[in-house]
Amino acid sequence: MSTTSAEQAVRAPILNSWRRCQDAGLIPGAVRARLLDDLDLDSILVRAARPVFDRLQIEIADTPSGLFLTDASGALTRRFLGEASMQRTVDGLGVLPGFSYAESDIGTNAAASALVERRTSLVSGSEHLWDEFQQFDAVGSPVRNPLTGRIEGALCIAAVSERMNAQVKPMMRRAIEEVEQNLVDLSASRERALFTRFLNSRSPAAVPASVPSDLPFRDRLALEDAAVRLVAQGREATVEIGLSDGRTATVVAQLVAGPADLRGIAVQAWVS
C-alpha cells in the first residue's frame, strides 16, 4: 500500500478496503473473528433468505463452495456448505453463525466489503486480509429492503479459488432478487400497501430514469443521505445534488396515501 507499484497492481476496491483496514489498525495475519452476544438468528432477513438457501443448497451440493448470510453489521447468521471437505475446512476456521466477519474485525472479505461499499464485491485469494481466507474466492452482495431502502445484510458465495466459476455472479443476482422480494412479502401489511400504491402510481413518463448502478460510491452515499433526511422531514420536497462527474441528481420526496388513511414518504432520485 505504500508503493506506487502496489497501488498499480491491486484493484481499486481492494486497495480502498486495505486502506480502511489499515486505518482501523488491523494487522494482516493477526485478525480473528469476534463472537457476538444476543444475535438474532431468526430475523426477518434470515426468514427471507431461508427459501433461497433451500434452493441453492441443491445447486452447490457436493461442490467445494459455501453460501453465507450476514446481518447489516457483518455478523454471520446462516451458512450452507457443499462437500464435506469444505465443511471441515470452514469449521476449522471457526466460520460459524454468531461471529462477526465485519471488515473492522477480520479485514477485507466479500460480504463485509459489500456492506461497506453497498455493491457487489469480489475478493480473490490473497486479496483477503485474513491469511486463512486466502484459499478462497468469494462474491458478496448487499441485501436491500425495497420498502425502506436500508441494507439489511449481505449474501456471499465462496469457493476454493481454483473452483470458482462464471456462473456465480448470475446466481448471486438471482438470489439477491429473491431475498429482497421475500423481504417485501414478509413485511407488515401497512408497508406493503404503501409500497404497492407507490409503484402503481408512478408514471414512467414523469420519472426519466432511476439512479445508474455505476455511480461512484461517494455519490451513492450522498443520494442515500439526502433520501434519509427527506424521509425524516415527513413532507414533500425536492433537492438537487452535484455529483463528482459534473452531473446533477434530483432527489424527490413525495407523500404516498394508502387505504385506511395510511400515509408514508417515498423518495426517488434520477440523474440528468
Side-chain angles (χ1 to χ4, degrees), residues 91-123:
D91 284 348
L93 298 178
V95 183
L96 301 166
F99 283 83
S100 173
Y101 295 90
E103 197 176 76
S104 57
D105 282 321
I106 69 163
T108 304
N109 68 90
S113 294
L115 290 172
V116 175
E117 298 278 354
R118 303 185 187 186
R119 60 185 176 187
T120 298
S121 175
L122 169 66
V123 180

Side-chain angles (χ1 to χ4, degrees), residues 87-181:
Q87 179 161 347
R88 289 193 297 271
T89 299
V90 171
D91 284 348
L93 298 178
V95 183
L96 301 166
F99 283 83
S100 173
Y101 295 90
E103 197 176 76
S104 57
D105 282 321
I106 69 163
T108 304
N109 68 90
S113 294
L115 290 172
V116 175
E117 298 278 354
R118 303 185 187 186
R119 60 185 176 187
T120 298
S121 175
L122 169 66
V123 180
S124 301
S126 59
E127 292 175 341
H128 291 94
L129 195 72
W130 192 5
D131 288 349
E132 303 290 355
F133 275 9
Q134 293 184 6
Q135 59 190 297
F136 303 113
D137 288 354
V139 175
S141 288
V143 180
R144 189 185 302 271
N145 189 323
L147 296 177
T148 65
R150 290 193 299 267
I151 300 295
E152 300 287 351
L155 193 64
C156 176
I157 298 177
V160 175
S161 293
E162 63 270 16
R163 300 291 294 274
M164 182 67 79
N165 61 58
Q167 299 303 314
V168 169
K169 284 190 175 181
M171 184 189 302
M172 177 64 74
R173 283 195 297 270
R174 180 183 172 192
I176 292 296
E177 290 172 357
E178 291 181 22
V179 175
E180 291 180 344
Q181 181 57 53

Side-chain angles (χ1 to χ4, degrees), residues 16 31 67 79 91 108 114 117 146 180 188 205 214 219 223 228 232 237 260:
N16 291 338
V31 294
L67 180 65
R79 71 172 200 178
D91 284 348
T108 304
E117 298 278 354
E180 291 180 344
D214 60 347
D219 288 340
L223 295 182
V228 169

Side-chain angles (χ1 to χ4, degrees), residues 62 74 79 102 138 143 181 233 238 267-268:
D62 301 321
R79 71 172 200 178
V143 180
Q181 181 57 53
Q233 292 175 8
T238 300
V267 178
Q268 296 183 89

